[in-house]
Amino acid sequence: LSIRRQRQMCIRDRTLAVELLEQPLQPMPPVSEFPGAGIYALYYSGEHEAYSSFIKLDKRKSKYPIYIGKAAGQSSKQGFRSQSGGQKKLYDRICQHAASIAEVSNLDIKHFRCRFLVLNDAYISLAESVMIRVFRPPWNGMSFGSKVVGKNRMKGKPSLWDSLHPGRGGRPAGSADRAKEAALLIASRVDELKSEISDPTISRMNQRISRFV
């Protein structure tokens, strides 16, 4: 890609990220169903001790997402549709997350909110990538959003998320050491959010996006 094209893509994806952050906060799951694919951000304001530094940084203002994700439509590789043929890809994905959270004993779904933005499939992955690189959400990289089905259920190494929050159906619970590892990762993400960003491009994105939150 040319430098001009890269700049155009960067501006567009930053604009989409800002548009997501301008959406109103919604409960989890959202009250009303809606069609389409897109990106979303989850926010936490509860009392779990592993998130004490995160909550202190956020001040319960839903400025820093705890998780950022996407729900791509069937045409994501082609990027031709914005509504995923009437399917509720984005809504269903947020509902799946709400169900996961509701299954565990040490989180309360009432402490979670979300923002979401329906997008053309061509923009979804890039917009999600911008948001993750800027906000470095604690749950991204902890296998919160991974899907485990069939013969792989209850097998393999427990995820960091399920070790810290056991009880999700079909997922093995981890050890106390694994839960501590998850808590340390959360603390390190908060430290990253407090520190200056070394990448100048991401730093500029952060400054511009942060004006809207």
Side-chain angles (χ1 to χ4, degrees):
L1 292 177
S2 66
I3 294 177
R4 180 179 180 182
R5 179 57 176 162
Q6 290 177 349
R7 287 177 177 172
Q8 289 174 339
M9 292 175 66
C10 181
I11 292 171
R12 180 197 63 204
D13 297 329
R14 185 177 65 237
T15 301
L16 292 174
V18 169
E19 189 172 349
L20 169 63
L21 297 174
E22 289 180 325
Q23 301 305 305
L25 280 169
Q26 302 271 358
M28 284 188 66
V31 175
S32 301
E33 296 183 1
F34 57 90
I39 57 175
Y40 58 91
L42 309 185
Y43 299 86
Y44 176 62
S45 60
E47 304 291 341
H48 194 291
E49 61 182 359
Y51 303 97
S52 58
S53 59
F54 179 77
I55 296 300
K56 183 177 180 180
L57 176 67
D58 188 61
K59 298 178 182 179
R60 290 188 167 85
K61 293 183 177 180
S62 299
K63 177 179 179 179
Y64 295 99
I66 198 167
Y67 184 77
I68 290 169
K70 65 182 178 182
Q74 293 179 340
S75 60
S76 59
K77 292 184 179 180
Q78 290 80 25
F80 296 141
R81 300 177 184 176
S82 60
Q83 297 299 324
S84 298
Q87 295 180 337
K88 308 186 301 295
K89 292 283 188 177
L90 186 53
Y91 173 79
D92 289 345
R93 187 63 171 149
I94 296 173
C95 287
Q96 290 169 5
H97 290 323
S100 289
I101 293 168
E103 283 186 297
V104 306
S105 61
N106 56 8
L107 292 174
D108 192 328
I109 193 64
K110 73 181 182 182
H111 293 145
F112 288 85
R113 296 290 184 271
C114 65
R115 288 187 172 101
F116 50 86
L117 180 65
V118 175
L119 291 175
N120 183 294
D121 290 328
Y123 304 142
I124 291 173
S125 292
L126 290 172
E128 179 202 33
S129 178
V130 168
M131 291 289 290
I132 291 174
R133 292 182 70 185
V134 169
F135 286 102
R136 290 153 286 177
W139 284 3
N140 286 85
M142 292 179 63
S143 296
F144 166 67
S146 63
K147 297 180 180 179
V148 180
V149 296
K151 64 181 181 180
N152 293 320
R153 295 172 72 90
M154 298 303 292
K155 293 183 179 180
K157 186 177 182 179
S159 74
L160 290 174
W161 196 88
D162 290 292
S163 298
L164 187 61
H165 304 297
R168 189 158 53 160
R171 308 297 183 106
S175 64
D177 287 341
R178 186 82 168 142
K180 289 180 181 179
E181 183 182 349
L184 288 173
L185 175 61
I186 294 168
S188 69
R189 293 285 175 84
V190 174
D191 289 339
E192 289 176 7
L193 287 169
K194 293 178 180 178
S195 63
E196 294 185 6
I197 301 173
S198 58
D199 186 316
T201 300
I202 299 301
S203 179
R204 288 193 294 271
M205 286 183 182
N206 180 278
Q207 292 172 5
R208 292 169 182 173
I209 290 175
S210 295
R211 297 174 187 173
F212 294 86
V213 297

